[in-house]
C-alpha cells in the first residue's frame, strides 16, 4: 500500500481518506435504503387490514409506527385524523420531511467526495509537474528517463482521484434515484390513507393485503 501511495506524494493521503469514507457511505446506504426496511409491503398491508376490520388501536398503531419509516408517516397521519383532513395532511408532511432527511443522510458528503477528489488529483499532478520542471532547471533535459518517471508519478494522483470520484458519483446518483422512488411510493400511500380515513375512497383487502 505504501509503495502505491508514496509516488503520489502527500495528496494521496486525503484521497485515501476520501476513498475510505466513500466506501463506508456506500455500504451504509445500501443497507439503510432497502425497500424491506424503509417501506415494507407487510407494514402497509397490515395497516389496511386493521383499518378495514376496524381493529386499529393505540397499541397496534404504536407497533406500526416503530416498524419502519413508512409506518412512522402513516401513524403520524392516523394520530391526527380526528382533527380533520388538513391537520392530518400537515402531520403526514411534517413526519415525511423528517423521514426524507434521514433517507438522504450522507448523500451530500458522498456527492462532495465525487466532486473534490478529481480536483485533489489534479492538484497533486500540478505539484508533481512543478517538481519535474524544478529538476529540469537543476539538471537539464539530458536524461529523458528521469523526466518520464517524474511525469508518470505526477499523473498518479489524477488517476487516483478519478478512481475514487467515478464510483462515488455513480452511487450518489443511484441513491438519489432510489430515495426519489421511495418518496413517491410513500406519498401515494399517504394520500390513499387520507382519502380512506375521510371516506373519499374505499379499500379492498384480500389475503394478500391491500388492492
Amino acid at each position: 500500500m505504501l509503495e502505491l501511495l508514496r509516488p503520489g506524494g502527500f495528496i494521496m493521503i486525503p484521497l485515501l481518506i476520501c476513498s475510505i469514507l466513500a466506501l463506508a457511505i456506500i455500504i451504509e446506504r445500501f443497507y439503510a435504503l432497502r425497500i424491506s426496511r424503509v417501506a415494507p409491503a407487510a407494514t402497509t398491508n397490515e395497516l389496511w387490514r386493521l383499518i378495514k376490520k376496524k381493529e386499529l388501536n393505540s397499541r397496534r398503531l404504536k407497533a406500526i409506527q416503530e416498524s419502519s419509516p413508512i409506518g412512522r408517516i402513516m401513524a403520524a397521519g392516523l394520530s391526527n385524523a380526528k382533527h380533520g383532513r388538513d391537520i392530518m395532511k400537515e402531520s403526514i408532511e411534517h413526519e415525511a420531511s423528517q423521514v426524507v432527511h434521514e433517507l438522504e443522510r450522507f448523500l451530500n458528503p458522498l456527492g462532495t467526495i465525487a466532486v473534490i477528489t478529481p480536483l485533489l488529483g489534479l492538484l497533486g499532478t500540478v505539484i508533481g509537474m512543478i517538481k519535474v520542471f524544478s529538476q529540469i532547471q537543476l539538471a537539464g533535459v539530458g536524461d529523458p528517463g528521469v523526466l518520464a518517471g517524474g511525469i508518470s508519478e505526477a499523473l498518479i494522483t489524477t488517476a487516483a482521484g478519478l478512481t475514487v470520484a467515478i464510483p462515488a458519483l455513480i452511487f450518489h446518483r443511484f441513491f438519489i434515484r432510489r430515495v426519489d422512488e421511495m418518496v413517491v411510493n410513500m406519498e401515494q400511500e399517504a394520500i390513499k390513507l387520507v382519502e380512506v380515513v375521510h371516506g373519499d375512497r374505499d379499500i379492498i383487502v384480500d389475503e394478500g393485503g391491500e388492492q
Side-chain angles (χ1 to χ4, degrees):
M1 179 64 72
L2 291 177
E3 294 299 323
L4 295 175
L5 296 178
R6 189 178 294 112
F10 72 93
I11 291 295
M12 294 296 289
I13 296 175
L15 286 174
L16 177 62
I17 294 172
C18 286
S19 67
I20 294 172
L21 289 175
L23 180 61
I25 292 171
I26 290 169
I27 293 173
E28 190 276 339
R29 287 294 85 188
F30 259 120
Y31 175 80
L33 295 179
R34 292 171 298 151
I35 293 292
S36 60
R37 178 184 177 276
V38 177
T43 297
T44 53
N45 290 343
E46 176 67 8
L47 179 60
W48 296 127
R49 186 186 68 80
L50 293 173
I51 292 174
K52 178 68 174 181
K53 296 185 176 182
K54 298 181 179 180
E55 296 177 350
L56 188 63
N57 53 39
S58 59
R59 180 179 60 81
R60 286 174 171 169
L61 184 61
K62 183 175 179 59
I64 289 173
Q65 181 182 23
E66 295 174 349
S67 65
S68 62
I70 194 173
R72 286 170 50 191
I73 295 173
M74 306 289 262
L78 289 169
S79 298
N80 294 276
K82 61 184 178 182
H83 300 297
R85 178 189 294 269
D86 292 338
I87 299 298
M88 184 179 181
K89 290 177 67 176
E90 287 179 9
S91 62
I92 288 175
E93 291 171 358
H94 175 72
E95 189 66 34
S97 65
Q98 297 183 26
V99 169
V100 172
H101 179 73
E102 293 174 4
L103 294 180
E104 294 177 344
R105 186 183 182 191
F106 300 134
L107 293 188
N108 281 339
L110 183 60
T112 301
I113 289 172
V115 172
I116 67 172
T117 46
L119 299 178
L120 287 172
L122 180 59
L123 176 61
T125 296
V126 171
I127 294 173
M129 294 301 293
I130 291 173
K131 293 179 179 178
V132 169
F133 282 108
S134 297
Q135 292 177 355
I136 291 177
Q137 288 181 334
L138 294 175
V141 293
D143 189 352
V146 173
L147 298 181
I151 293 173
S152 66
E153 290 179 4
L155 293 175
I156 287 175
T157 55
T158 294
L162 292 175
T163 301
V164 177
I166 292 172
L169 179 60
I170 291 173
F171 282 107
H172 179 261
R173 297 287 181 87
F174 172 77
F175 290 134
I176 289 292
R177 177 64 177 173
R178 174 170 286 191
V179 169
D180 289 342
E181 291 176 351
M182 289 181 175
V183 169
V184 169
N185 290 336
M186 289 189 291
E187 285 178 349
Q188 292 175 346
E189 293 293 333
I191 291 172
K192 188 189 303 181
L193 178 66
V194 174
E195 293 176 347
V196 168
V197 169
H198 290 279
D200 297 330
R201 179 171 182 164
D202 293 329
I203 182 171
I204 302 174
V205 179
D206 58 19
E207 294 180 356
E210 188 270 337
Q211 291 184 336

